[in-house]
Amino acid sequence: MSQENVDVIRGIYDSFGRGDVPAVLGQMDQQIEWREAENFIYADRNPYVGPQAILEGVFMRLGTEWEGFAVTPEEWLDAGNHVVVLGTYTGRHGGTGREVRAQFAHVWGVRGGRVVRFQQYTDTKQFAEAAAS
């Protein structure tokens, strides 16, 4: 079953890369718990519960506050019901013009082909500095 879980998560990154947010949200359990890294600029509403909370609290903010924001997965670690993805964020903050290039680790929990949990780890200081006026 774990390869199936990796495939689910790969599909989420592919959809996100195409800008297909409805497909991303469609892979989430209605009670998903989504946590941004402690001290991250969007951790103010942790935990986000449910796809709508994630859309409004994370994805909409990324889409309106950043230019060219990209999530580039580089390595996949199969851990059964969990999938760890290592990669890089890039983008330019629209308000300040400052760019980020930050490594990330995402830990996804999958059950029954649906995402039930997400935990982000990244360079929170770099994002805070990019967004600071």
PDB file of all heavy atoms in Angstrom, residues 10-24 71:
ATOM      1  N   ARG A  10       2.547  12.255  -4.946  1.00  0.00           N
ATOM      2  CA  ARG A  10       3.098  12.752  -6.217  1.00  0.00           C
ATOM      3  C   ARG A  10       2.021  13.474  -7.031  1.00  0.00           C
ATOM      4  O   ARG A  10       2.260  14.519  -7.619  1.00  0.00           O
ATOM      5  CB  ARG A  10       3.678  11.613  -7.040  1.00  0.00           C
ATOM      6  CG  ARG A  10       5.031  11.143  -6.617  1.00  0.00           C
ATOM      7  CD  ARG A  10       5.563  10.098  -7.619  1.00  0.00           C
ATOM      8  NE  ARG A  10       6.762   9.485  -7.142  1.00  0.00           N
ATOM      9  CZ  ARG A  10       7.993   9.972  -7.343  1.00  0.00           C
ATOM     10  NH1 ARG A  10       8.153  11.081  -7.997  1.00  0.00           N
ATOM     11  NH2 ARG A  10       9.041   9.325  -6.875  1.00  0.00           N
ATOM     12  N   GLY A  11       0.831  12.893  -7.044  1.00  0.00           N
ATOM     13  CA  GLY A  11      -0.280  13.505  -7.757  1.00  0.00           C
ATOM     14  C   GLY A  11      -0.639  14.874  -7.214  1.00  0.00           C
ATOM     15  O   GLY A  11      -0.981  15.787  -7.972  1.00  0.00           O
ATOM     16  N   ILE A  12      -0.537  15.040  -5.909  1.00  0.00           N
ATOM     17  CA  ILE A  12      -0.824  16.337  -5.294  1.00  0.00           C
ATOM     18  C   ILE A  12       0.189  17.383  -5.767  1.00  0.00           C
ATOM     19  O   ILE A  12      -0.189  18.492  -6.157  1.00  0.00           O
ATOM     20  CB  ILE A  12      -0.846  16.213  -3.759  1.00  0.00           C
ATOM     21  CG1 ILE A  12      -2.105  15.458  -3.333  1.00  0.00           C
ATOM     22  CG2 ILE A  12      -0.761  17.582  -3.085  1.00  0.00           C
ATOM     23  CD1 ILE A  12      -2.178  15.132  -1.868  1.00  0.00           C
ATOM     24  N   TYR A  13       1.473  17.042  -5.755  1.00  0.00           N
ATOM     25  CA  TYR A  13       2.493  17.994  -6.219  1.00  0.00           C
ATOM     26  C   TYR A  13       2.322  18.301  -7.707  1.00  0.00           C
ATOM     27  O   TYR A  13       2.473  19.448  -8.124  1.00  0.00           O
ATOM     28  CB  TYR A  13       3.903  17.482  -5.937  1.00  0.00           C
ATOM     29  CG  TYR A  13       4.287  17.567  -4.485  1.00  0.00           C
ATOM     30  CD1 TYR A  13       4.161  16.473  -3.644  1.00  0.00           C
ATOM     31  CD2 TYR A  13       4.772  18.750  -3.937  1.00  0.00           C
ATOM     32  CE1 TYR A  13       4.491  16.541  -2.309  1.00  0.00           C
ATOM     33  CE2 TYR A  13       5.110  18.833  -2.603  1.00  0.00           C
ATOM     34  CZ  TYR A  13       4.969  17.726  -1.786  1.00  0.00           C
ATOM     35  OH  TYR A  13       5.298  17.804  -0.457  1.00  0.00           O
ATOM     36  N   ASP A  14       1.992  17.292  -8.491  1.00  0.00           N
ATOM     37  CA  ASP A  14       1.762  17.519  -9.927  1.00  0.00           C
ATOM     38  C   ASP A  14       0.591  18.478 -10.127  1.00  0.00           C
ATOM     39  O   ASP A  14       0.675  19.410 -10.926  1.00  0.00           O
ATOM     40  CB  ASP A  14       1.489  16.199 -10.650  1.00  0.00           C
ATOM     41  CG  ASP A  14       2.719  15.300 -10.746  1.00  0.00           C
ATOM     42  OD1 ASP A  14       3.851  15.794 -10.515  1.00  0.00           O
ATOM     43  OD2 ASP A  14       2.539  14.097 -11.045  1.00  0.00           O
ATOM     44  N   SER A  15      -0.491  18.255  -9.408  1.00  0.00           N
ATOM     45  CA  SER A  15      -1.666  19.127  -9.525  1.00  0.00           C
ATOM     46  C   SER A  15      -1.342  20.540  -9.069  1.00  0.00           C
ATOM     47  O   SER A  15      -1.737  21.519  -9.712  1.00  0.00           O
ATOM     48  CB  SER A  15      -2.833  18.565  -8.699  1.00  0.00           C
ATOM     49  OG  SER A  15      -3.261  17.336  -9.221  1.00  0.00           O
ATOM     50  N   PHE A  16      -0.628  20.653  -7.948  1.00  0.00           N
ATOM     51  CA  PHE A  16      -0.257  21.975  -7.446  1.00  0.00           C
ATOM     52  C   PHE A  16       0.613  22.707  -8.470  1.00  0.00           C
ATOM     53  O   PHE A  16       0.417  23.897  -8.723  1.00  0.00           O
ATOM     54  CB  PHE A  16       0.475  21.843  -6.102  1.00  0.00           C
ATOM     55  CG  PHE A  16       0.609  23.149  -5.365  1.00  0.00           C
ATOM     56  CD1 PHE A  16      -0.443  23.642  -4.615  1.00  0.00           C
ATOM     57  CD2 PHE A  16       1.785  23.874  -5.417  1.00  0.00           C
ATOM     58  CE1 PHE A  16      -0.326  24.850  -3.937  1.00  0.00           C
ATOM     59  CE2 PHE A  16       1.916  25.076  -4.744  1.00  0.00           C
ATOM     60  CZ  PHE A  16       0.853  25.571  -3.998  1.00  0.00           C
ATOM     61  N   GLY A  17       1.541  21.984  -9.074  1.00  0.00           N
ATOM     62  CA  GLY A  17       2.428  22.584 -10.083  1.00  0.00           C
ATOM     63  C   GLY A  17       1.678  23.090 -11.300  1.00  0.00           C
ATOM     64  O   GLY A  17       2.101  24.048 -11.943  1.00  0.00           O
ATOM     65  N   ARG A  18       0.552  22.458 -11.632  1.00  0.00           N
ATOM     66  CA  ARG A  18      -0.290  22.891 -12.753  1.00  0.00           C
ATOM     67  C   ARG A  18      -1.268  23.983 -12.342  1.00  0.00           C
ATOM     68  O   ARG A  18      -2.012  24.496 -13.169  1.00  0.00           O
ATOM     69  CB  ARG A  18      -1.100  21.716 -13.309  1.00  0.00           C
ATOM     70  CG  ARG A  18      -0.312  20.671 -14.039  1.00  0.00           C
ATOM     71  CD  ARG A  18      -1.232  19.684 -14.758  1.00  0.00           C
ATOM     72  NE  ARG A  18      -2.275  19.118 -13.911  1.00  0.00           N
ATOM     73  CZ  ARG A  18      -2.161  18.011 -13.174  1.00  0.00           C
ATOM     74  NH1 ARG A  18      -1.012  17.346 -13.168  1.00  0.00           N
ATOM     75  NH2 ARG A  18      -3.160  17.565 -12.454  1.00  0.00           N
ATOM     76  N   GLY A  19      -1.299  24.285 -11.053  1.00  0.00           N
ATOM     77  CA  GLY A  19      -2.253  25.269 -10.560  1.00  0.00           C
ATOM     78  C   GLY A  19      -3.652  24.703 -10.376  1.00  0.00           C
ATOM     79  O   GLY A  19      -4.614  25.467 -10.255  1.00  0.00           O
ATOM     80  N   ASP A  20      -3.773  23.383 -10.331  1.00  0.00           N
ATOM     81  CA  ASP A  20      -5.069  22.731 -10.190  1.00  0.00           C
ATOM     82  C   ASP A  20      -5.377  22.527  -8.703  1.00  0.00           C
ATOM     83  O   ASP A  20      -5.314  21.410  -8.178  1.00  0.00           O
ATOM     84  CB  ASP A  20      -5.062  21.402 -10.950  1.00  0.00           C
ATOM     85  CG  ASP A  20      -6.434  20.765 -11.035  1.00  0.00           C
ATOM     86  OD1 ASP A  20      -7.376  21.260 -10.378  1.00  0.00           O
ATOM     87  OD2 ASP A  20      -6.554  19.750 -11.759  1.00  0.00           O
ATOM     88  N   VAL A  21      -5.724  23.615  -8.032  1.00  0.00           N
ATOM     89  CA  VAL A  21      -5.985  23.573  -6.599  1.00  0.00           C
ATOM     90  C   VAL A  21      -7.191  22.686  -6.268  1.00  0.00           C
ATOM     91  O   VAL A  21      -7.148  21.946  -5.278  1.00  0.00           O
ATOM     92  CB  VAL A  21      -6.131  24.996  -6.026  1.00  0.00           C
ATOM     93  CG1 VAL A  21      -6.548  24.977  -4.562  1.00  0.00           C
ATOM     94  CG2 VAL A  21      -4.801  25.752  -6.193  1.00  0.00           C
ATOM     95  N   PRO A  22      -8.273  22.689  -7.071  1.00  0.00           N
ATOM     96  CA  PRO A  22      -9.376  21.771  -6.753  1.00  0.00           C
ATOM     97  C   PRO A  22      -8.943  20.307  -6.709  1.00  0.00           C
ATOM     98  O   PRO A  22      -9.415  19.542  -5.864  1.00  0.00           O
ATOM     99  CB  PRO A  22     -10.385  22.018  -7.885  1.00  0.00           C
ATOM    100  CG  PRO A  22     -10.143  23.445  -8.276  1.00  0.00           C
ATOM    101  CD  PRO A  22      -8.641  23.615  -8.153  1.00  0.00           C
ATOM    102  N   ALA A  23      -8.027  19.898  -7.598  1.00  0.00           N
ATOM    103  CA  ALA A  23      -7.535  18.514  -7.566  1.00  0.00           C
ATOM    104  C   ALA A  23      -6.725  18.252  -6.299  1.00  0.00           C
ATOM    105  O   ALA A  23      -6.816  17.177  -5.709  1.00  0.00           O
ATOM    106  CB  ALA A  23      -6.690  18.216  -8.801  1.00  0.00           C
ATOM    107  N   VAL A  24      -5.940  19.235  -5.863  1.00  0.00           N
ATOM    108  CA  VAL A  24      -5.176  19.097  -4.620  1.00  0.00           C
ATOM    109  C   VAL A  24      -6.139  18.914  -3.450  1.00  0.00           C
ATOM    110  O   VAL A  24      -6.018  17.977  -2.658  1.00  0.00           O
ATOM    111  CB  VAL A  24      -4.265  20.326  -4.391  1.00  0.00           C
ATOM    112  CG1 VAL A  24      -3.613  20.261  -3.019  1.00  0.00           C
ATOM    113  CG2 VAL A  24      -3.212  20.437  -5.484  1.00  0.00           C
ATOM    114  N   VAL A  71       6.761  25.120  -5.561  1.00  0.00           N
ATOM    115  CA  VAL A  71       7.105  24.039  -4.642  1.00  0.00           C
ATOM    116  C   VAL A  71       7.713  22.935  -5.497  1.00  0.00           C
ATOM    117  O   VAL A  71       7.032  22.352  -6.323  1.00  0.00           O
ATOM    118  CB  VAL A  71       5.838  23.524  -3.916  1.00  0.00           C
ATOM    119  CG1 VAL A  71       6.185  22.386  -2.982  1.00  0.00           C
ATOM    120  CG2 VAL A  71       5.135  24.655  -3.189  1.00  0.00           C
TER     121      VAL A  71
END
